[in-house]
Each structure stands twice: as C-alpha cells, then as structure tokens.
Amino acid sequence: MLAGVKAGPPVVTLDGVVKRYANGTLAVQGVDMAIGQGDFVSLLGPSGCGKSTVLRMVAGLIAPTAGRIGMAAGGEATGDVGFVFQEPTLMPWSNTLKNVMLPLRLAGMNRGEAADRAAAALAEVGLKGFEKAYPRALSGGMKMRVSIARALVTKPRLLLMDEPFAALDEITRHRLNNDLLTLWQAERFTAIFVTHSVFESVYLSRRIVVMAARPGRVVEDIEVNAAYPRGEVFRTSAEYAAHCREVSDALHRAMGE
Amino acid sequence: MSVSVSANEVADAPQEARERTILGLTADAWLRILMPLAIGVIALGGWEWAVRANGVPSYILPGPIEVGQTLVRDWHTLSISLWITLQITFAALFVAALLGLALAVLFAQSRVIELSLFPYAVILQVTPVVAIAPLIIIWVDDIRIALLICAWIVAFFPILSNTTLGLNSADHNLQDLFRLYRASRWQVLMRLRLPTAMPYFLGGLRISGGLALIGAIVAEFVAGTGGRASGLAYRILESGYNLQIPRMFAALVLISLTGIAIFLAMTLVSHLALRHWHESAMKERR
Ligand SMILES: Nc1ncnc2c1ncn2[C@@H]1O[C@H](COP(=O)(O)OP(=O)(O)O)[C@@H](O)[C@H]1O
Ligand SMILES: [Mg+2]
C-alpha cells in the first residue's frame, strides 16, 4: 500500500451525535464524522473526552441520545464489527482456542469449523501452539493478541479498538503496533483506534480525529500522509517527528493551552 | 500474511513455580500436614496423662485410648448410625445444591422474582432449625424426610446466596462482548454467567457441606427417635442416658471426622473444577 492511499466510501457516518448518560453527564455533543472503507482512523484526546463513548455507540453497545449513526449496507450484520477492549477481556475458564471460537459459536457455527477458524486466527496473530493455554498462563501482550484474534475471527469489516495497548510495556506495544498494521494491510478491514498517545496515533493511522473534553467534541481532523508499510525506520524519521509535533499542537489547542 | 510473537513477550508469561519435593509433596505441604498432627498428638497425650494421673473415672472423662477402644468395639452399631447420618446429610446437600442453583438462576432471570422471594429465603435461614424441627417432625410422617428437610433448610442458603452473587458478577466488558455478538439470554447464562458463578457456587457448597451435617445432627437430637434406623445424634443421647460416656465420645469423634471429611471432599471437588483458571485453586507463589 502506498502513500496517499485514499479511503473508500464511508462505512460509518456520525451525524450530530449527542450522548447524555442517565446520570446527566453530557459525554459527547454534536459529533460529525465519516469513516471511509479500509481507513485507519485514530480517535485521540485527553481522558474523559468521550472517545470510549463514541466507540461504544458505533459498536451499538449504547444508543445516542440524539443524532444518527449510520452503517453502510450490511454493516448491521452480526460479526461485521470486532471490538478490542483496553483489558484483554478473556474468559478465564476457557483456553485460548475456545476464547477465540466464542463469536463463531455464538453465531451458531458448529464446533469443528469454529475450531479450525479460531486456530487460523491465532496463527495470524503469532500464537500458533498456544491453543490449549489458559489466559492466566499468558503474558499481557499475548492476552491482547488473543483478544485481537477473537475480534478478527469473524472477518469483520470494521475493527474497533479502545486503547488496546495502553497497559503494555513500550517494547511489546511497538511490536503489537507493527503486527496490527500487518494484519490491517492483509485483511483490509476498517480500523477505528482509540488512544491517548500522540506517538501511537501517528505511527498507526492514516487519519487522526482529535477530540476535546467538556463537552466531548471533535476539534480537528488530521491526515498522516506517510507510506505503508510503516516500520521502525518510520518511527525514527523526521517525517514522523513532524507529524507528531503537528498532532501534539492540535491536542494542546484542544485542551485549551 | 501472519505475524509472530517475540521471545521476550513469551518469557513474560507467568511460569509454573517449580519447587523441590520430598516424597511427592513440597516442604510447605509437609509442614502443613505435620504441624497440626504434632499438636494433635501432644494434646491427646496430655489428655491421656491427665486422666490417668488424676484417676478420673471414665463416666466423667474417658481417656483417648479408651475412646478409641470403644470406637472399635462398638463399630458395628456406630457405623450403622454413621451411615444413616451420612445419607441424610448428603441427600440434604444434594437437594440444597440443586434447588439453590435452580433458584439462583431463576433470580438471575428476573429482578422481580428475586426481590419477592429472597426475603423468604433469608427468613428460612435466620430461623433456628432447632425451633422449627419439632413442627416439621410433627407435620411430616416419614421421620427421615423430616430430618432431610431440617438439614436442607440449614444447608440451602449459602448455596443460594453465593450463587446469586456469582451470577451477577460477570465481567462488564465480557457482557458487552456477548451483547456485541447478539448472544441470546440462554447463551449468556450458559457461557458467561454460570461459569462466572462456578467458584461462588463451590464456595457455597463447601460451607453447606458442614451445615448439612450440623442440620442433620440437630434434627436427630430433636426427633430423638430410637430403634435400628437412628443416626449418630441418637447414639449420643442414648449413651448419655446410660452413662456410656466413652461411647458418647466415640460418636462425637465420628461426627467430627465426618465433618472434616465432607469439608475435604468439597475442597477437592472445588479444586478439581477450578484448577485451570481460578485464583483460589492455584498454588501460592512467592
Ligand atoms: N456509563 C456512564 N455513566 C455516566 N457517565 C459516564 C459513563 N461512561 C462515561 N461517562 C462519562 O462520560 C465522559 C466521557 O467518558 P469516556 O467516553 O469514557 O471518555 P474517554 O474514553 O475519552 O476517557 C466522562 O466524563 C465520563 O465520566
Ligand atoms: Mg476510554
């Protein structure tokens, strides 16, 4: 994939989306956004600006108070959306393979076929041979890989990730960043990635949506025009540093400094 | 295209602790067995010595050796009674586990049902079984069924309340995940809530095992039935009337041993069911 790759027609559109929680908290107000097919978009902003709220509304886990969230045709089908939480969120009583089989089993797929697909998904994230391991025997990075395998096992068109690597050490996070990009290029899903790290968002995304708090809203929309595949060379390039400064400035403006 | 996991990521994974073992047990396990055993031997020795040194008659306080001899001599009668008490205890525990689990699942399905029934479960729990046992024994013709009901009343609540708590403790993100994949109520129950509740249920079972035995014994005391088909509690009453104090102690020892055995059995069941994943079933690491 080359620089300037253009995203396709929108798969997700948000129109004047407002979310007020039952306790009265106005989490986000007037969010408009269109996310193109195959794009990699980061939602960046300080804690409490409503990133998770937006992601959970896109996933259909909570309903907007006002406004509209549209999915491209077919986007409502089960298994079309994958979700990766900040914690690995695995079932501790099931081994790795059974954890990854879950979405398929819930959709009624038979055990044998689900097991084959889950094993393939585990191999994709580099965990071949760990099928029988229980979550407690895995490191934080490996658990997150299982979580990603589970989200990708249904071959979703849209992958939502809520600060998935925030709890990992830096070396592991860099490796997972690289592996996530490899998977994204291979499987061509659309990715929405929530983070509060400027560096991570610039490294991964083609587009960064900067949000501000109180009330949560979109303040800037920045394109990162750097070629994929991106590797460690990109991470140390002047181009990367320039993008980081641009995004960092935008973030500071968003936080009113 | 696929990716591979790095060596340092794998090395980060928790390793099973490898400790030196003596005859298949770790030094720590031996300490855990030998120390209580030593205390027991010292206490029994002191008891025997005190009885002999002061010439205490056995109708006041028999020494442990005499109790042991009585246990062997009266084993035939005592074992029949033990068997009867055990039957009532386990039948009560089984029914308590089944009904406790079923009611907890029912409560988990509907908040209205939980709110309307839970207070009655509490009332059942706080009413002393000694106080209601006479009524139950009058109402129920079959004395063994009456005893079973008494033991059940005592054993039932911990399983119900623990399992109810467990069913409501499912991880929030996992609940969201199930919702994302449009899982049915049934799927959520079978694949998420019941597995989450498993350690709680087993914890309740461990408490209830001992309580079922106590319930059975108390009810037997109240019933005070004689004849062939009577449990250990009746042997104690009978020995009391006849001043057969060594036999009373022998029955008492049997009850304690049974309680310990039930507790150990439940602990084993719990360990076997949870060993793969739950903190409670894992070896301590230092
Ligand atoms: N379930 C909820 N009920 C009430 N308020 C909430 C809930 N979830 C989040 N909030 C509030 O909404 C705002 C946005 O939260 P969130 O979307 O989690 O932000 P972020 O993910 O950017 O840190 C915060 O002020 C938070 O306290
Ligand atoms: Mg968040």
Side-chain angles (χ1 to χ4, degrees):
Chain A
M1 214 176 278
L2 297 169
V5 56
K6 281 292 165 252
V11 278
V12 185
T13 48
L14 287 83
D15 261 320
V17 168
V18 177
K19 178 66 190 181
R20 186 185 287 279
Y21 282 105
N23 65 1
T25 309
L26 184 60
V28 291
Q29 193 176 36
V31 171
D32 300 310
M33 208 185 292
I35 307 231
Q37 170 78 49
D39 211 351
F40 198 121
V41 179
S42 282
L43 299 185
L44 176 71
S47 167
C49 72
K51 305 182 294 293
S52 299
T53 302
V54 168
L55 209 62
R56 289 162 57 79
M57 284 192 289
V58 171
L61 290 171
I62 51 175
T65 313
R68 232 186 63 81
I69 296 180
M71 296 286 223
E76 300 284 349
T78 310
D80 223 38
V81 177
F83 202 105
V84 180
F85 298 87
Q86 178 167 351
E87 296 83 35
T89 311
L90 303 175
M91 301 179 291
W93 53 83
S94 291
N95 65 27
T96 304
L97 187 71
K98 290 223 174 90
N99 266 290
V100 178
M101 282 165 68
L102 179 76
L104 302 175
R105 296 288 286 153
L106 289 178
M109 184 183 286
N110 71 54
R111 199 186 300 268
E113 193 182 347
D116 290 345
R117 291 209 195 174
L122 278 170
E124 285 285 308
V125 298
L127 285 182
K128 201 178 175 61
F130 289 93
E131 291 84 359
K132 292 275 183 294
Y134 281 80
R136 71 170 173 104
L138 303 177
S139 70
M142 290 159 83
K143 279 187 225 173
M144 206 30 101
R145 287 173 184 276
V146 177
S147 191
I148 292 170
R150 179 182 59 195
L152 291 180
V153 75
T154 57
K155 304 271 174 216
R157 291 205 304 166
L158 180 62
L159 181 64
L160 308 174
M161 292 166 277
D162 194 354
E163 307 196 29
F165 309 141
L168 302 178
D169 66 83
E170 193 174 348
I171 297 169
T172 306
R173 186 162 64 239
H174 284 183
R175 281 203 58 106
L176 279 159
N177 283 163
N178 291 338
D179 292 348
L180 177 62
L181 283 184
T182 307
L183 289 167
W184 173 65
Q185 288 186 272
E187 312 221 345
R188 308 188 148 274
F189 49 81
T190 308
I192 307 182
F193 188 96
V194 165
T195 179
H196 56 239
S197 160
V198 169
F199 305 108
E200 193 174 36
S201 67
V202 170
Y203 186 71
L204 292 173
S205 351
R206 216 192 56 79
R207 180 180 160 202
I208 298 171
V209 174
V210 182
M211 294 179 67
R214 267 173 298 276
R217 63 199 185 276
V218 173
V219 288
E220 296 204 38
D221 202 325
I222 301 170
E223 283 212 14
V224 182
N225 278 314
Y228 292 97
R230 297 174 182 173
E232 294 306 322
V233 176
F234 176 59
R235 215 187 268 287
T236 49
S237 67
E239 188 189 8
Y240 176 67
H243 281 303
C244 287
R245 184 162 321 115
E246 181 191 357
V247 173
S248 180
D249 288 346
L251 189 61
H252 283 133
R253 279 196 299 279
M255 288 160 73
E257 286 166 29
Chain B
M1 192 185 302
S2 78
V3 297
S4 71
V5 68
S6 70
N8 75 313
E9 243 178 89
V10 177
D12 255 3
Q15 304 291 317
E16 290 302 325
R18 280 210 166 276
E19 278 184 66
R20 236 156 48 83
T21 60
I22 307 159
L23 294 176
L25 290 175
T26 61
D28 188 60
W30 277 112
L31 204 66
R32 216 175 285 195
I33 294 169
L34 291 179
M35 285 314 289
L37 217 58
I39 298 288
V41 169
I42 291 169
L44 288 178
W47 175 5
E48 184 71 37
W49 173 83
V51 167
R52 286 182 188 213
N54 300 312
V56 182
S58 71
Y59 59 84
I60 305 262
L61 178 67
I65 292 178
E66 194 181 350
V67 172
Q69 285 165 342
T70 312
L71 193 56
V72 173
R73 184 166 34 100
D74 293 354
W75 177 246
H76 181 69
T77 322
L78 288 175
S79 64
I80 292 173
S81 297
L82 172 64
W83 179 235
I84 286 158
T85 301
L86 275 182
Q87 278 178 325
I88 292 168
T89 302
F90 277 104
L93 186 60
F94 181 74
V95 177
L98 223 59
L99 276 182
L101 187 63
L103 258 187
V105 168
L106 188 70
F107 286 5
Q109 295 311 303
S110 151
R111 185 120 184 91
V112 176
I113 298 178
E114 179 180 352
L115 289 178
S116 32
L117 288 186
F118 203 80
Y120 294 98
V122 175
I123 290 172
L124 211 56
Q125 156 75 6
V126 297
T127 312
V129 71
V130 210
I132 37 176
L135 278 178
I136 292 168
I137 289 162
I138 291 169
W139 289 337
V140 181
D141 280 337
D142 188 332
I143 185 69
R144 297 181 64 177
I145 303 283
L147 296 181
L148 192 149
I149 292 174
C150 294
W152 172 78
I153 287 176
V154 184
F156 162 74
F157 190 75
I159 294 179
L160 173 67
S161 68
N162 264 27
T163 311
T164 303
L165 180 65
L167 287 170
N168 292 324
S169 300
D171 179 81
H172 269 277
N173 285 339
L174 274 175
Q175 290 185 36
D176 280 348
L177 191 80
F178 274 70
R179 231 145 41 79
L180 185 77
Y181 292 114
R182 293 171 174 70
S184 64
R185 271 174 99 85
W186 176 252
Q187 286 175 322
V188 172
L189 178 68
M190 297 308 287
R191 290 176 178 272
L192 178 59
R193 301 183 78 170
L194 279 177
T196 304
M198 190 70 163
Y200 296 80
F201 169 75
L202 290 168
L205 200 63
R206 201 142 65 150
I207 300 168
S208 293
L211 287 180
L213 178 66
I214 293 173
I217 300 277
V218 168
E220 280 177 12
F221 260 109
V222 176
T225 43
R228 284 171 300 107
S230 40
L232 283 174
Y234 183 71
R235 295 293 156 226
I236 290 180
L237 283 177
E238 182 190 54
S239 317
Y241 299 144
N242 304 338
L243 274 188
Q244 292 171 308
I245 307 304
R247 189 172 180 173
M248 195 177 197
F249 269 89
L252 202 58
V253 168
L254 272 185
I255 291 174
S256 299
L257 289 179
T258 307
I260 293 167
I262 291 174
F263 181 80
L264 289 179
M266 293 305 141
T267 306
L268 183 70
V269 167
S270 176
H271 178 82
L272 290 179
L274 304 179
R275 76 202 133 137
H276 283 308
W277 64 278
H278 201 255
E279 295 294 341
S280 69
M282 282 172 213
K283 291 203 186 92
E284 291 169 45
R285 279 191 219 108
R286 267 167 280 214

